[in-house]
């Protein structure tokens, strides 16, 4: 009887804290003193970047590490946001300058550096690889929006599919770049920039697609319309675009993929809600199934995943505010990150051999 009471007590304790389902520890990243935040990128060291509001209501780029969120500042304006971080800790994002235009930035060695434009007034970044190559989009002197590659202090246009604009979304460590742009028929298409060529990746049967990420194995993810004009997440590999499905609703988008082929993004559910998802082993899973409902946090979109399977994104908390989150993969043999106070109880009980299964 005492054994059963102990097990019942332990289950009650575990259900009230922030570690669930044997796989993940859930962490609300908080803010810079304001009410909202969103996490967009994570490297293999577990450093997270994104944007968060401060006490003054301004939205600033942040770096989250060792349980603390640091304000990265601005470029003369009041707003900035970070989208990517490489394993060296170099960070890229966008920030408004004094003129009111926004410019792409590189943050390194404690400084935010304006990397300029293609000759126009604005530019933006989306990704940086481990070689320090940066991609995004910028306006040129004629006002055309073009994908670019920035390296060795220089920004170079990547061209278009024959249309009027292009955007580079991600670059892998091999220097392959993916993004989107319109073609001569003014159709938006996912593209691969490789060896000086701009390659149309096609669609899922419709006319529209967009690529958002690429791993070092050359697998590409994004979204595309099908023959019913519904938007679905896709995985592109070996010359084929594969429909990843949805969480039961009509549409979804994939934002990131790691070298293990794990894909994350957001999708509508059968009930009409929008939830973050993980795709692996040919299955799409609602990330909210990995955490206890007692948290009162709904993960809406997952924007990043590292090689350990740690996932970042944003969701809404019990007060209805948007906050960035981290799902930390506990199955990799690493030390658990700085936990919230309730999670410390789990660490002290972990040696008792209690094992939890994933919630269905």
């Amino acid at each position: 009887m005492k054994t059963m009471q102990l097990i019942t007590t332990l289950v009650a304790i575990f259900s009230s804290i922030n570690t669930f389902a044997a796989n993940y520890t859930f962490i609300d990243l908080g803010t810079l003193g304001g009410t909202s935040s969103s996490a967009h990128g994570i490297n293999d060291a577990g450093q997270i970047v994104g944007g968060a509001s401060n006490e003054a209501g301004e939205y600033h780029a942040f770096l989250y590490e060792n349980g603390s969120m640091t304000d990265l500042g601005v470029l003369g304006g009041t707003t900035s946001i970070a989208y990517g971080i490489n394993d060296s800790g170099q960070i890229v994002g966008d920030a408004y300058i004094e003129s009111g235009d926004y410019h792409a930035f590189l943050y390194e060695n404690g400084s935010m550096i304006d990397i300029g434009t293609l000759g126009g007034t604005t530019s933006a970044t989306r990704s940086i690889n481990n070689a320090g190559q940066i991609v995004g989009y910028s306006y040129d002197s004629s006002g055309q929006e073009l994908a670019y590659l920035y390296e060795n202090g220089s920004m170079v246009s990547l061209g278009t599919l024959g249309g009027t604009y292009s955007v580079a979304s991600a670059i892998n460590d091999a220097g392959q770049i993916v993004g989107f742009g319109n073609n001569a028929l003014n159709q938006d298409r996912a593209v691969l920039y490789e060896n000086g060529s701009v390659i149309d990746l096609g669609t899922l049967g419709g006319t529209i697609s967009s690529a958002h990420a690429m791993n070092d194995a050359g697998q590409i993810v994004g979204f595309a319309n099908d023959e019913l004009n519904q938007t679905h997440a896709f995985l592109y590999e070996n010359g084929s675009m594969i429909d990843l499905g949805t969480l039961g609703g009509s549409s979804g988008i994939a934002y990131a993929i790691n070298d293990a082929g794990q894909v994350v993004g957001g999708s509508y559910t059968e009930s009409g809600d929008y939830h973050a998802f993980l795709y692996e082993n040919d299955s799409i899973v609602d990330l909210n199934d990995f955490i206890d409902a007692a948290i009162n946090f709904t993960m809406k979109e997952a924007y990043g995943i590292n090689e350990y399977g740690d996932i970042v994104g944003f969701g809404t908390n019990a007060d209805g505010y948007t906050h960035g989150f981290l799902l930390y993969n506990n199955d990799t043999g690493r030390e658990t990150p700085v936990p919230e106070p309730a999670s410390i109880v789990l660490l002290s009980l972990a040696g008792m051999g209690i094992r939890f299964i994933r919630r269905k």
Side-chain angles (χ1 to χ4, degrees), residues 74-81 94-103:
V74 294
L75 282 176
T78 60
T79 303
S80 62
I81 186 169
D94 311 333
Y96 281 92
I97 60 176
E98 291 184 19
S99 67
D101 298 312
Y102 60 90
H103 279 199

Side-chain angles (χ1 to χ4, degrees), residues 113-176:
I113 304 161
D114 187 335
I115 66 171
T117 73
L118 287 172
T121 58
T122 61
S123 62
T125 60
R126 287 298 177 264
S127 176
I128 183 170
N129 66 9
N130 285 325
Q133 295 172 302
I134 301 168
V135 295
Y137 66 90
S138 173
Y139 288 89
D140 65 12
S141 58
S142 67
Q144 187 174 18
E145 182 183 353
L146 297 171
Y148 71 76
L149 168 65
Y150 179 93
E151 60 181 342
N152 302 319
S154 179
M155 184 180 290
V156 178
S157 169
L158 297 176
T160 72
L161 268 177
T164 58
Y165 88 97
S166 60
V167 172
S169 302
I171 181 169
N172 66 11
D173 287 342
Q176 296 171 301

Side-chain angles (χ1 to χ4, degrees), residues 1-335:
M1 177 65 77
K2 290 183 178 180
T3 300
M4 287 302 298
Q5 289 175 340
L6 174 61
I7 292 175
T8 301
T9 300
L10 289 175
V11 170
I13 292 172
F14 276 110
S15 66
S16 67
I17 61 181
N18 286 359
T19 299
F20 307 93
N23 286 24
Y24 294 106
T25 294
F26 171 86
I27 297 175
D28 183 332
L29 300 181
T31 71
L32 289 169
T35 59
S36 64
S37 66
S38 180
H40 290 270
I42 181 170
N43 65 12
D44 289 344
Q47 295 173 302
I48 301 167
V49 296
S53 59
N54 59 22
E55 292 181 353
E58 298 172 343
Y59 205 75
H60 285 192
F62 71 75
L63 168 65
Y64 182 97
E65 59 182 341
N66 301 321
S68 179
M69 184 179 287
T70 301
D71 190 331
L72 300 184
V74 294
L75 282 176
T78 60
T79 303
S80 62
I81 186 169
Y83 287 109
I85 181 170
N86 65 14
D87 289 341
S88 298
Q90 294 175 301
I91 300 167
V92 293
D94 311 333
Y96 281 92
I97 60 176
E98 291 184 19
S99 67
D101 298 312
Y102 60 90
H103 279 199
F105 72 75
L106 167 65
Y107 185 95
E108 60 180 349
N109 302 319
S111 297
M112 184 178 286
I113 304 161
D114 187 335
I115 66 171
T117 73
L118 287 172
T121 58
T122 61
S123 62
T125 60
R126 287 298 177 264
S127 176
I128 183 170
N129 66 9
N130 285 325
Q133 295 172 302
I134 301 168
V135 295
Y137 66 90
S138 173
Y139 288 89
D140 65 12
S141 58
S142 67
Q144 187 174 18
E145 182 183 353
L146 297 171
Y148 71 76
L149 168 65
Y150 179 93
E151 60 181 342
N152 302 319
S154 179
M155 184 180 290
V156 178
S157 169
L158 297 176
T160 72
L161 268 177
T164 58
Y165 88 97
S166 60
V167 172
S169 302
I171 181 169
N172 66 11
D173 287 342
Q176 296 171 301
I177 300 167
V178 295
F180 57 94
N182 63 349
N183 58 21
L185 299 176
N186 201 32
Q187 298 168 331
D188 288 349
R189 291 297 179 88
V191 297
L192 168 65
Y193 301 94
E194 187 175 35
N195 300 322
S197 298
V198 187
I199 302 166
D200 187 334
L201 299 183
T203 71
L204 290 171
T207 60
I208 297 173
S209 60
S210 177
H212 290 285
M214 184 179 198
N215 65 14
D216 289 341
Q219 295 173 304
I220 302 167
V221 297
F223 74 86
N225 282 12
D226 62 16
E227 62 277 2
L228 299 178
N229 203 34
Q230 295 178 333
T231 300
H232 283 198
F234 74 74
L235 169 65
Y236 184 96
E237 59 181 348
N238 302 320
S240 296
M241 184 176 287
I242 303 164
D243 190 335
L244 301 187
T246 70
L247 291 174
S250 61
S251 63
I253 299 175
Y255 288 108
I257 182 171
N258 64 12
D259 287 345
Q262 295 174 301
V263 181
V264 295
S267 169
Y268 281 100
T269 66
E270 189 174 4
S271 64
D273 296 320
Y274 199 80
H275 285 183
F277 73 76
L278 167 67
Y279 180 93
E280 61 178 345
N281 301 323
D282 298 323
S283 296
I284 187 169
V285 183
D286 191 328
L287 285 180
N288 293 282
D289 289 344
F290 293 109
I291 65 172
D292 195 288
I295 295 179
N296 286 326
F297 192 100
T298 302
M299 291 178 283
K300 294 291 190 178
E301 286 194 308
Y303 285 135
I305 183 169
N306 66 13
E307 299 310 322
Y308 291 103
D310 304 327
I311 301 168
V312 297
F314 80 90
T316 52
N317 63 15
D319 296 321
Y321 294 120
T322 299
H323 277 202
F325 70 82
L326 164 65
L327 281 184
Y328 182 86
N329 186 356
N330 294 316
D331 293 340
T332 59
R334 298 168 297 159
E335 182 180 353

